Amino acid sequence: MSATGRGLHGRVLDTLGPEITAGEYPPGSVLRTDELAQRFDVSRSVMREAVRVLESMYLVESRRRVGVTVRPKSEWNVYDPQVIRWRLAGADRPGQLRSLTVLRSAIEPVAAGLAARHATAEQCAELTECALGMVAHSRGHKLEGYLHHDVAFHRVVLIASGNEMFARLGDVVAEVLTGRTQHDVMFEDPDPAAVTLHVQVAEAVREGDAARAEELTREITVGALQELDILAP
């Protein structure tokens, strides 16, 4: 597909996806491809491509002689990074952030404990580098730089766990951290205690101290939930 084609169906998705995830089209709503093509002023082939993407996320299903039907929320692929992004942009942002942060609190401490047992020397070095990058960007309202290192830190922990299921959650965690920053659900400067905890997790992983790595990471996720109580009640 040409760049223009990708841009057109992307423009459709940028509007239609958030509308569906925000509940503007309740489950069971039928969307007509021809009507949507007219609304967005695109060809039917572009519209079909956009629908295929929505189908891959289980947001809709397409049936001949019926049309495109919005599926119940319980069937959505809520782990899809784009679905997370759309939901974080909607009115239920606090609930979505809380749900995802609770997921993190269940997964990441265990992953950190496993990382302390299985991380390679290169992964330990990368984790330390990420933690120091967070320190370097933790003051002076440098949230974008901080976010870059924060996302990388948590990706390394999940990958270094040696569990491929945990590793695949890297994009989910990245969307949570990015969403908090982009939607101002962060303090202007990160909590110094949280920054220190990340440095200590890197040390615990490098030292092979699984119990301490798990305990410290649990403190990080508990702190993230407490921040939501203040910033996104």
Side-chain angles (χ1 to χ4, degrees):
M1 183 182 291
S2 68
T4 302
R6 286 197 299 273
L8 287 173
H9 95 259
R11 177 170 62 82
V12 173
L13 287 170
D14 286 345
T15 300
L16 195 54
E19 289 176 348
I20 292 171
T21 56
E24 293 185 30
Y25 295 101
S29 299
V30 176
L31 311 177
R32 305 292 179 185
T33 304
D34 287 350
E35 293 175 3
L36 290 171
Q38 186 174 13
R39 172 191 170 189
F40 290 103
D41 192 23
V42 297
S43 68
R44 282 180 292 180
S45 63
V46 168
M47 198 62 238
R48 282 195 297 268
E49 177 61 26
V51 168
R52 277 196 290 270
V53 174
L54 295 173
E55 283 183 296
S56 73
M57 300 171 177
Y58 295 94
L59 296 181
V60 302
E61 62 179 337
S62 183
R63 286 198 236 164
R64 290 183 64 187
R65 300 180 183 170
V66 175
V68 179
T69 306
V70 177
R71 301 176 75 148
K73 186 185 295 186
S74 60
E75 297 178 3
W76 297 352
N77 180 5
V78 293
Y79 290 100
D80 187 292
Q82 183 64 76
V83 173
I84 292 171
R85 206 171 305 141
W86 287 336
R87 296 181 76 189
L88 287 177
D92 191 34
R93 182 181 307 132
Q96 174 74 142
L97 280 172
R98 184 164 299 280
S99 175
L100 291 164
T101 305
V102 169
L103 174 68
R104 290 183 59 202
S105 71
I107 298 299
E108 290 195 77
V110 178
L114 289 171
R117 296 186 180 96
H118 302 298
T120 64
E122 290 78 11
Q123 288 169 332
C124 289
E126 190 176 354
L127 207 56
T128 298
E129 183 180 348
C130 292
L132 293 177
M134 293 172 70
V135 172
H137 292 83
S138 61
R139 291 191 176 184
H141 310 334
K142 301 175 181 177
L143 286 182
E144 287 299 326
Y146 182 87
L147 172 65
H148 170 77
H149 294 287
D150 194 14
V151 167
F153 180 95
H154 291 280
R155 280 193 189 278
V156 175
V157 168
L158 291 166
I159 293 169
S161 72
N163 183 301
E164 72 275 14
M165 299 295 182
F166 288 174
R168 287 298 298 273
L169 291 173
D171 287 344
V172 172
V173 173
E175 290 300 333
V176 183
L177 298 173
T178 301
R180 287 192 320 176
T181 301
Q182 291 183 343
H183 297 293
D184 299 321
V185 192
M186 280 278 287
F187 295 113
E188 289 186 336
D189 283 333
D191 178 10
V195 179
T196 300
L197 283 170
H198 283 77
V199 175
Q200 292 172 337
V201 169
E203 292 173 349
V205 170
R206 179 174 54 81
E207 293 167 1
D209 191 337
R212 181 160 171 74
E214 183 169 343
E215 176 188 353
L216 291 166
T217 305
R218 184 162 287 109
E219 286 187 49
I220 290 172
T221 58
V222 167
L225 281 167
Q226 290 172 341
E227 282 190 6
L228 288 181
D229 289 337
I230 298 169
L231 299 170

mmCIF file with all atom_site columns, all heavy atoms in Angstrom, residues 20 28-29 90 112 184 188:
data_model
loop_
_atom_site.group_PDB
_atom_site.id
_atom_site.type_symbol
_atom_site.label_atom_id
_atom_site.label_alt_id
_atom_site.label_comp_id
_atom_site.label_asym_id
_atom_site.label_entity_id
_atom_site.label_seq_id
_atom_site.pdbx_PDB_ins_code
_atom_site.Cartn_x
_atom_site.Cartn_y
_atom_site.Cartn_z
_atom_site.occupancy
_atom_site.B_iso_or_equiv
_atom_site.pdbx_formal_charge
_atom_site.auth_seq_id
_atom_site.auth_comp_id
_atom_site.auth_asym_id
_atom_site.auth_atom_id
_atom_site.pdbx_PDB_model_num
ATOM 1  N N   . ILE A 1 20  ? -15.053 4.070  19.269 1.00 0.00 ? 20  ILE A N   1
ATOM 2  C CA  . ILE A 1 20  ? -15.536 2.751  19.686 1.00 0.00 ? 20  ILE A CA  1
ATOM 3  C C   . ILE A 1 20  ? -15.113 2.458  21.122 1.00 0.00 ? 20  ILE A C   1
ATOM 4  O O   . ILE A 1 20  ? -15.930 2.042  21.958 1.00 0.00 ? 20  ILE A O   1
ATOM 5  C CB  . ILE A 1 20  ? -15.012 1.656  18.734 1.00 0.00 ? 20  ILE A CB  1
ATOM 6  C CG1 . ILE A 1 20  ? -15.657 1.808  17.352 1.00 0.00 ? 20  ILE A CG1 1
ATOM 7  C CG2 . ILE A 1 20  ? -15.306 0.256  19.294 1.00 0.00 ? 20  ILE A CG2 1
ATOM 8  C CD1 . ILE A 1 20  ? -15.055 0.910  16.289 1.00 0.00 ? 20  ILE A CD1 1
ATOM 9  N N   . GLY A 1 28  ? -22.924 -4.129 19.677 1.00 0.00 ? 28  GLY A N   1
ATOM 10 C CA  . GLY A 1 28  ? -24.064 -4.478 18.840 1.00 0.00 ? 28  GLY A CA  1
ATOM 11 C C   . GLY A 1 28  ? -24.389 -3.439 17.789 1.00 0.00 ? 28  GLY A C   1
ATOM 12 O O   . GLY A 1 28  ? -25.173 -3.708 16.871 1.00 0.00 ? 28  GLY A O   1
ATOM 13 N N   . SER A 1 29  ? -23.791 -2.256 17.921 1.00 0.00 ? 29  SER A N   1
ATOM 14 C CA  . SER A 1 29  ? -24.007 -1.217 16.904 1.00 0.00 ? 29  SER A CA  1
ATOM 15 C C   . SER A 1 29  ? -23.489 -1.705 15.553 1.00 0.00 ? 29  SER A C   1
ATOM 16 O O   . SER A 1 29  ? -22.433 -2.330 15.476 1.00 0.00 ? 29  SER A O   1
ATOM 17 C CB  . SER A 1 29  ? -23.268 0.076  17.276 1.00 0.00 ? 29  SER A CB  1
ATOM 18 O OG  . SER A 1 29  ? -23.738 0.600  18.498 1.00 0.00 ? 29  SER A OG  1
ATOM 19 N N   . GLY A 1 90  ? -9.368  8.473  26.360 1.00 0.00 ? 90  GLY A N   1
ATOM 20 C CA  . GLY A 1 90  ? -10.789 8.669  26.587 1.00 0.00 ? 90  GLY A CA  1
ATOM 21 C C   . GLY A 1 90  ? -11.143 9.064  28.005 1.00 0.00 ? 90  GLY A C   1
ATOM 22 O O   . GLY A 1 90  ? -10.272 9.291  28.855 1.00 0.00 ? 90  GLY A O   1
ATOM 23 N N   . ALA A 1 112 ? 11.111  -9.208 38.031 1.00 0.00 ? 112 ALA A N   1
ATOM 24 C CA  . ALA A 1 112 ? 12.379  -8.703 38.568 1.00 0.00 ? 112 ALA A CA  1
ATOM 25 C C   . ALA A 1 112 ? 13.114  -9.791 39.345 1.00 0.00 ? 112 ALA A C   1
ATOM 26 O O   . ALA A 1 112 ? 14.343  -9.906 39.259 1.00 0.00 ? 112 ALA A O   1
ATOM 27 C CB  . ALA A 1 112 ? 12.121  -7.490 39.458 1.00 0.00 ? 112 ALA A CB  1
ATOM 28 N N   . ASP A 1 184 ? -0.436  13.901 31.520 1.00 0.00 ? 184 ASP A N   1
ATOM 29 C CA  . ASP A 1 184 ? -0.144  14.682 32.740 1.00 0.00 ? 184 ASP A CA  1
ATOM 30 C C   . ASP A 1 184 ? -0.591  13.970 34.008 1.00 0.00 ? 184 ASP A C   1
ATOM 31 O O   . ASP A 1 184 ? -1.071  14.611 34.951 1.00 0.00 ? 184 ASP A O   1
ATOM 32 C CB  . ASP A 1 184 ? -0.804  16.068 32.656 1.00 0.00 ? 184 ASP A CB  1
ATOM 33 C CG  . ASP A 1 184 ? -0.292  16.876 31.477 1.00 0.00 ? 184 ASP A CG  1
ATOM 34 O OD1 . ASP A 1 184 ? 0.923   16.805 31.199 1.00 0.00 ? 184 ASP A OD1 1
ATOM 35 O OD2 . ASP A 1 184 ? -1.098  17.566 30.837 1.00 0.00 ? 184 ASP A OD2 1
ATOM 36 N N   . GLU A 1 188 ? 5.588   16.934 38.104 1.00 0.00 ? 188 GLU A N   1
ATOM 37 C CA  . GLU A 1 188 ? 6.499   17.621 37.185 1.00 0.00 ? 188 GLU A CA  1
ATOM 38 C C   . GLU A 1 188 ? 7.895   17.015 37.223 1.00 0.00 ? 188 GLU A C   1
ATOM 39 O O   . GLU A 1 188 ? 8.601   16.992 36.206 1.00 0.00 ? 188 GLU A O   1
ATOM 40 C CB  . GLU A 1 188 ? 6.550   19.115 37.511 1.00 0.00 ? 188 GLU A CB  1
ATOM 41 C CG  . GLU A 1 188 ? 5.260   19.852 37.147 1.00 0.00 ? 188 GLU A CG  1
ATOM 42 C CD  . GLU A 1 188 ? 5.394   21.341 37.341 1.00 0.00 ? 188 GLU A CD  1
ATOM 43 O OE1 . GLU A 1 188 ? 6.249   21.769 38.141 1.00 0.00 ? 188 GLU A OE1 1
ATOM 44 O OE2 . GLU A 1 188 ? 4.639   22.091 36.691 1.00 0.00 ? 188 GLU A OE2 1
#
